[in-house]
Amino acid sequence: MLFLYCVLLVCCAIMLVAGIVEQRRHFASLHRIPNRVLVNGIRGKSSITRLCAGALRGGGLTTVAKTTGTAARFIHPDATEEPVYRKFGIANVVEQIGIVRRASAYRPDALVMECMAVMPALQEINQSKLIQSTIGVLCNVREDHVAEMGPTLDDIARSLSRSMPHGGICVTAEKERFDVLQEEADARGCQLLYADPDTVSDEELRGFSWFTFKENVAIALLVAELLGVDRETALRGMYDAPPDPGVLSVERYLAPGGKRLRFANVFAANDPESTLMNINQLLDLGAVDRPLSVVINCRPDRVERNGQMGAIIPELRPDRVFVIGHPAKSAIDAIPAEWRDRAVDLGGDHRDGEEFMQELLGHLGPSSSLVAIGNIHGQGEVLLEHLAELPADEAVDSGDGALRQADPAVRSAGSAPAPYADPPSVAPYDQDPYGHGPYGHGPYAQVPHARLPYDQVPYAQVHSGAPDPHGIRAATPVPAWPQRQQPPQPQIHPGPPQGQRHTPGEPR
């Protein structure tokens, strides 16, 4: 028995020493990155991460970024990217350690990370132990993940505040819960700055070839200003940044029978407020029009969210509501009685995709718009796969030319936005400071192409030296890295400059 106790004691001592060594190595990697930006919030984190990284790259800063969102991506300093490999497809905050270590090998001026934690305790660990951000971003407070973060918006705001850097800076575009965030920031000695979306003009927003919101752009501009990048330079960098695979866009298809269909994938905005905001923006821009149909994808582990999607149907005023996935009843029962006769149950999650797609398309008119809401997983993925098989509608409607000029994100199915017609490739292994060899060693080296959903991720390529049966890697080498510049010191101004930073509600 004494022997077993000794073995247990020795094992515990070994684990303790290994943990201390790992922590010291991780902190050393963090200290090699002078500016660390942690993006948290409910909606738009992936887009803001990419916008911040693009703005800093435009200012000449060597910047590495990592998104979680629709598809986790590691973004290199030259804006090329690759999927983040996860064992068994399970996300874990521990993966941030490997990301930081890999990013530090580039000796970057800045690291922009999307927060991947939901539980309040994990959000705090993600900030205090894993990232130790110098600039925090808390983009918005919406009603989501209420089981983990609390039943009220105030509770969610306080939970998200755990990612604020102690003694650092936090940037937010949240207006309704600004007072709550200010209390939490004061308790942490953190300077809370408000990014006013009204400072972003419509003309500046038109420079993007994909849909984004003024709140997101305002946050990225303020982060860039804090790191010494001027507004025009930051905007140019954001325009050149490739969008997230889940970015809001409108595809145009030709359905059987000569029907013309505009389809908007709004799965990424899976809370009621964000869903309404996205669809209303599309309607205002004319990217989709009426007659409008809505498809709700239900998941058995998101019953509450299924009901939330059904409850907003009166505000969308669609002609048809198609319900896919399981349990469909959770969404249909939440639709108010006067709108329920417009709902069409296309069957559970075991129904053949070809079968329910034929029924869905049969209900549509000769020219209509379809928006998909809810959650992408399950039958939502099947829906996107079958839509992608439809031929693209290359015909130009009356008024489409002007709309495309104003909003290039309205495009034919399968076509990429003009600035990204030639998708970037990933740096060859001999330019990768993480030390991947020709056989793709390392946790991020070899990611099978089958992991990319529906082969519709035009901006990410597989980073591997292994043979490429799919032929998706570019043959042209990536240009040499630009000459490193000395990173500018963050410029923090105590007072609100020229209307960019102020408390919501006070005159600018």
Side-chain angles (χ1 to χ4, degrees):
M1 185 62 71
L2 180 61
F3 173 75
L4 294 179
Y5 278 124
C6 291
V7 171
L8 178 61
L9 183 61
V10 170
C11 291
C12 290
I14 292 174
M15 292 178 63
L16 177 62
V17 171
I20 294 174
V21 171
E22 178 68 20
Q23 178 174 283
R24 290 176 65 87
R25 289 179 60 194
H26 178 65
F27 287 168
S29 297
L30 285 175
H31 294 155
R32 285 196 290 269
I33 307 172
N35 302 297
R36 301 177 294 278
V37 182
L38 179 61
V39 181
N40 198 8
I42 298 297
R43 289 290 165 261
K45 296 190 295 294
S46 296
S47 294
I48 291 174
T49 300
R50 289 174 177 271
L51 289 173
C52 289
L56 299 180
R57 281 196 304 268
L61 302 182
T62 303
T63 306
V64 179
K66 184 251 185 179
T67 67
T68 300
T70 303
R73 296 287 184 266
F74 181 89
I75 304 174
H76 299 265
D78 64 347
T80 60
E81 59 187 72
E82 62 183 272
V84 173
Y85 174 73
R86 288 167 173 165
K87 291 183 179 179
F88 311 111
I90 299 175
N92 192 307
V93 293
V94 177
E95 76 183 35
Q96 307 286 59
I97 297 175
I99 296 294
V100 169
R101 184 180 303 140
R102 187 179 186 192
S104 68
Y106 284 106
R107 296 283 180 168
D109 302 320
L111 170 66
V112 186
M113 296 278 281
E114 177 183 351
C115 181
M116 61 182 299
V118 175
M119 298 292 292
L122 289 180
Q123 292 190 42
E124 190 161 355
I125 291 174
N126 189 64
Q127 160 58 27
S128 62
K129 297 292 185 183
L130 301 182
I131 308 299
Q132 295 184 350
S133 64
T134 56
I135 299 176
V137 170
L138 208 164
C139 50
N140 49 48
V141 179
R142 305 278 171 81
E143 186 179 353
D144 198 13
H145 301 296
V146 293
E148 295 87 0
M149 290 193 273
T152 69
L153 289 175
D154 283 358
D155 292 330
I156 294 174
R158 296 188 188 281
S159 176
L160 295 172
S161 298
R162 296 197 177 199
S163 65
M164 289 181 176
H166 286 262
I169 303 168
C170 184
V171 177
T172 184
E174 175 59 36
K175 185 175 182 179
E176 300 300 325
R177 295 293 181 279
F178 187 86
D179 292 341
V180 177
L181 299 180
Q182 186 65 68
E183 291 178 11
E184 295 294 324
D186 292 342
R188 293 167 171 79
C190 178
Q191 184 182 5
L192 184 63
L193 304 178
Y194 178 64
D196 190 349
D198 292 338
T199 61
V200 180
S201 66
D202 293 336
E203 186 65 29
E204 290 172 332
L205 206 61
R206 290 191 188 99
F208 292 92
S209 60
W210 38 282
F211 287 109
T212 188
F213 293 93
K214 289 184 177 181
E215 289 83 356
N216 299 351
V217 177
I219 288 174
L221 287 173
L222 184 46
V223 170
E225 180 188 346
L226 291 171
L227 294 179
V229 181
D230 66 88
R231 187 183 186 89
E232 291 186 4
T233 303
L235 280 169
R236 286 197 299 270
M238 285 190 276
Y239 294 155
D240 292 337
D244 190 70
V247 72
L248 180 64
S249 62
V250 177
E251 312 287 356
R252 302 190 303 143
Y253 298 104
L254 284 176
K259 297 179 179 180
R260 303 180 65 186
L261 172 66
R262 290 189 182 191
F263 173 73
N265 177 1
V266 196
F267 280 135
N270 52 12
D271 70 272
E273 185 178 350
S274 299
T275 299
L276 286 171
M277 184 186 300
N278 278 267
I279 296 176
N280 287 333
Q281 184 190 35
L282 294 177
L283 289 169
D284 291 341
L285 293 171
V288 297
D289 51 19
R290 300 187 185 276
L292 178 70
S293 297
V294 174
V295 55
I296 303 175
N297 182 41
C298 299
R299 285 179 58 184
D301 57 339
R302 296 289 189 272
V303 173
E304 182 182 12
R305 184 176 295 166
N306 302 340
Q308 291 174 340
M309 295 298 118
I312 64 174
I313 290 302
E315 299 181 66
L316 296 175
R317 297 181 292 110
D319 292 79
R320 291 281 183 181
V321 181
F322 302 102
V323 184
I324 59 177
H326 176 79
K329 183 178 175 63
S330 62
I332 294 175
D333 287 351
I335 301 175
E338 60 270 23
W339 293 85
R340 204 169 296 160
D341 59 345
R342 307 189 184 198
V344 179
D345 185 356
L346 295 181
D349 53 352
H350 297 298
R351 190 176 184 188
D352 180 69
E354 187 71 31
E355 185 180 344
F356 83 70
M357 278 299 300
Q358 289 181 0
E359 184 176 349
L360 186 152
L361 296 174
H363 282 284
L364 300 179
S367 180
S368 56
S369 298
L370 179 69
V371 295
I373 65 177
N375 199 291
I376 190 172
H377 297 293
Q379 291 290 77
E381 295 170 326
V382 177
L383 171 73
L384 296 182
E385 286 177 354
H386 282 81
L387 282 174
E389 295 173 359
L390 296 176
D393 181 8
E394 301 293 348
V396 178
D397 293 327
S398 59
D400 256 9
L403 177 62
R404 283 189 182 184
Q405 184 176 3
D407 291 280
V410 181
R411 61 186 188 272
S412 300
S415 64
Y420 316 115
D422 296 318
S425 62
V426 172
Y429 67 86
D430 60 349
Q431 294 183 12
D432 184 357
Y434 194 57
H436 293 315
Y439 300 103
H441 299 296
Y444 307 95
Q446 186 169 351
V447 182
H449 186 250
R451 290 183 179 274
L452 299 179
Y454 354 106
D455 283 349
Q456 286 186 349
V457 185
Y459 310 110
Q461 303 295 333
V462 176
H463 184 55
S464 170
D468 181 17
H470 304 285
I472 61 171
R473 285 195 295 274
T476 57
V478 174
W481 299 109
Q483 185 70 29
R484 279 178 54 86
Q485 300 180 9
Q486 188 67 22
Q489 295 298 318
Q491 299 176 357
I492 312 301
H493 306 285
Q498 295 91 32
Q500 175 68 32
R501 284 177 247 160
H502 63 282
T503 300
E506 72 178 20
R508 298 192 301 276

